[in-house]
Amino acid sequence: MKIAVLPGDGIGPEIVKEAVKVLNALGEKFELEEAPVGGAGYEASGHPLPEATLALAKSADAILFGAVGDWKYDKLERALRPEQAILGLRKHLELFANFRPAICYPQLTGASSLKPEIVSGLDILIVRELNGDIYFGQPRGTREAPDGNFKGAREGFDTMRYAEPEVRRIAHVAFQAAQKRQKKLTSVDKANVLETSQFWKDIMIDVSKEYPEVELSHMYVDNAAMQLVKAPKAFDVVVTGNMFGDILSDEAAMLTGSIGMLPSASLDKNNKGLYEPSHGSAPDIAGKGIANPLATILSAAMMLRYSLGRPEQADRIESAVKKVLEQGYRTADIITPDCKQVGTVEMGDAVIAAL
Ligand code: NAD
């Protein structure tokens, strides 16, 4: 089992180190190979996704990714900015299905900004399409407006588009995920305004015929944003396009108290995947030894479950994380009174002790 380890920037190396420590404590034979990515890739070879890093990612069975980005690279041209590495990996490896679970652990309900009764026991899975939509659609750019009220003025434009096979494949992934859970799937769109969304909705309905045991419902994205804070426990699996999923998955993340707890997986059609915490590189706390490594450790658990065929090891890690929370260990981002505050390394050690 070959794992490409791409720590990246900011807190990336600190949290990935803890996840690697946990993987090594499982007693399995992993071949772990590390390479620079993001700002670290740019420093090493002038590009955020160096060729050797991409080659390693392609040859591996799974990729464990930290985070990329730092304010010091904001002045670089867009193609050289650290964040391009993650877009490049998604594109080159055809990682089209993004799984973002939002789970509110009972011990952490106090850390959520919502009332405990609204979030306690929350367990949502957001399935976001990652390869298409307005983030990649062509044409895009700036130009002189060819028509409309502002004809002749400078304008910026992007293109929202989805091809039928793209929608079908994410629909199947989402229905299959719902089959393994509460069998409720909510497809989020903006079909009252957007042609692309109506097309998306029609295909969801068509694919639903193959999954009669899954209850499919539809919700406009503006309503979904409201329902997520009003009654989040009403959701089981949510499937949506790239842009809506980007926004809603961050909203769902905050319901749980801390983005430092949330793992994610981005999978291709063969379940090869890139696993990373849902948060970014947190340059504001990098190097201080206080970052929460649990999202990355839980991402490693998802990797064992989805790409490496070791669900029992995934269960072990997830149980160990629950145990350290029960024992009262907390990093600064999830601290509540009466708990024991620990740093990044101590939290990793606590998970290994619990294993
Ligand atoms: P961020 O997620 O890095 O940080 C937001 C806030 O959450 C910060 O206050 C940070 O300290 C805190 N935080 C994040 N992770 C934490 C953890 N594990 N433990 C404790 N606290 C944590 O988002 P941002 O500040 O908007 O972005 C910072 C950089 O990260 C930017 O360059 C951005 O482009 C990049 N980014 C990268 C990814 C990625 O690599 N996939 C995703 C999002 C943002």
Side-chain angles (χ1 to χ4, degrees):
M1 288 180 283
K2 181 169 167 181
I3 304 171
V5 179
L6 313 182
D9 311 318
I11 60 170
E14 301 166 45
I15 53 181
V16 165
K17 198 168 163 201
E18 297 312 304
V20 166
K21 227 162 75 177
V22 171
L23 283 170
N24 283 331
L26 293 174
E28 297 266 357
K29 276 210 166 67
F30 299 118
E31 190 192 323
L32 298 160
E33 201 177 324
E34 198 175 308
V37 73
Y42 177 76
E43 301 291 350
S45 53
H47 195 277
L49 184 55
E51 269 176 38
T53 302
L54 179 59
L56 171 66
K58 282 183 173 167
S59 70
D61 299 305
I63 301 146
L64 183 64
F65 189 94
V68 291
D70 193 297
W71 302 309
K72 71 179 175 195
Y73 301 112
D74 281 357
K75 290 208 162 57
L76 286 176
E77 64 174 279
R78 191 169 296 281
L80 294 179
R81 290 198 202 151
E83 293 79 5
Q84 293 302 314
I86 187 88
L87 297 178
L89 282 165
R90 285 174 189 165
K91 199 88 202 150
H92 285 290
L93 302 177
E94 276 213 61
L95 305 170
F96 69 90
N98 185 219
F99 280 45
R100 286 194 39 176
I103 296 171
C104 189
Y105 293 90
Q107 301 83 357
L108 297 183
T109 47
S112 172
S113 49
L114 294 192
K115 294 183 190 119
E117 63 270 26
I118 294 190
V119 290
S120 178
L122 178 78
D123 182 356
I124 310 177
L125 175 65
I126 299 201
V127 179
R128 166 188 169 199
E129 200 290 329
L130 266 191
N131 275 183
D133 205 351
I134 197 162
Y135 287 5
F136 291 101
Q138 294 289 344
R140 61 194 288 159
T142 50
R143 64 184 173 190
E144 203 171 278
D147 47 30
N149 288 348
F150 297 99
K151 188 174 175 191
R154 257 163 51 78
E155 71 171 9
F157 66 104
D158 296 274
T159 307
M160 179 178 267
R161 56 195 283 188
Y162 262 122
E164 183 168 346
E166 260 180 319
V167 184
R168 280 195 184 275
R169 68 181 179 180
I170 194 74
H172 282 289
V173 167
F175 276 103
Q176 284 161 20
Q179 263 179 334
K180 295 186 195 127
R181 295 174 43 106
Q182 304 303 313
K183 301 184 172 48
K184 275 170 56 186
L185 178 64
T186 308
S187 170
V188 171
D189 60 50
K190 189 72 185 166
N192 50 343
V193 179
L194 299 170
E195 298 298 330
T196 321
S197 274
Q198 185 60 53
F199 182 69
W200 170 283
K201 185 173 177 177
D202 293 344
I203 292 171
M204 287 290 155
I205 292 169
D206 195 39
V207 174
S208 74
K209 292 173 193 148
E210 295 177 49
Y211 301 91
E213 69 283 24
V214 177
E215 182 196 323
L216 172 68
S217 60
H218 306 273
M219 197 177 277
Y220 297 139
V221 62
D222 40 350
N223 187 22
M226 285 199 295
Q227 297 306 323
L228 268 177
V229 285
K230 189 177 169 214
K233 283 190 267 184
F235 293 101
D236 176 23
V237 180
V238 173
V239 62
T240 189
N242 204 348
M243 180 167 64
F244 300 154
D246 191 1
I247 299 163
L248 292 181
S249 57
D250 267 23
E251 188 188 357
M254 278 324 293
L255 301 176
T256 69
S258 170
I259 203 159
M261 290 299 301
L262 297 177
S264 83
S266 303
L267 304 176
D268 75 0
K269 63 177 189 303
N270 301 316
N271 287 336
K272 171 172 170 168
L274 181 146
Y275 298 83
E276 58 172 334
S278 295
H279 56 74
S281 55
D284 53 334
I285 57 166
K288 295 186 179 162
I290 59 170
N292 186 347
L294 293 179
T296 317
I297 291 171
L298 290 166
S299 299
M302 286 182 92
M303 175 172 77
L304 289 159
R305 177 171 294 119
Y306 291 111
S307 290
L308 301 180
R310 292 284 189 283
E312 67 291 347
Q313 297 287 26
D315 291 344
R316 280 183 72 202
I317 294 180
E318 286 162 0
S319 302
V321 167
K322 281 189 194 127
K323 193 163 172 198
V324 298
L325 294 175
E326 273 159 28
Q327 290 167 337
Y329 292 108
R330 302 283 189 275
T331 42
D333 56 310
I334 50 172
I335 189 75
T336 44
D338 305 330
C339 286
K340 181 175 161 30
Q341 187 163 336
V342 292
T344 312
V345 174
E346 289 164 287
M347 188 56 111
D349 291 343
V351 173
I352 290 171
L355 272 177

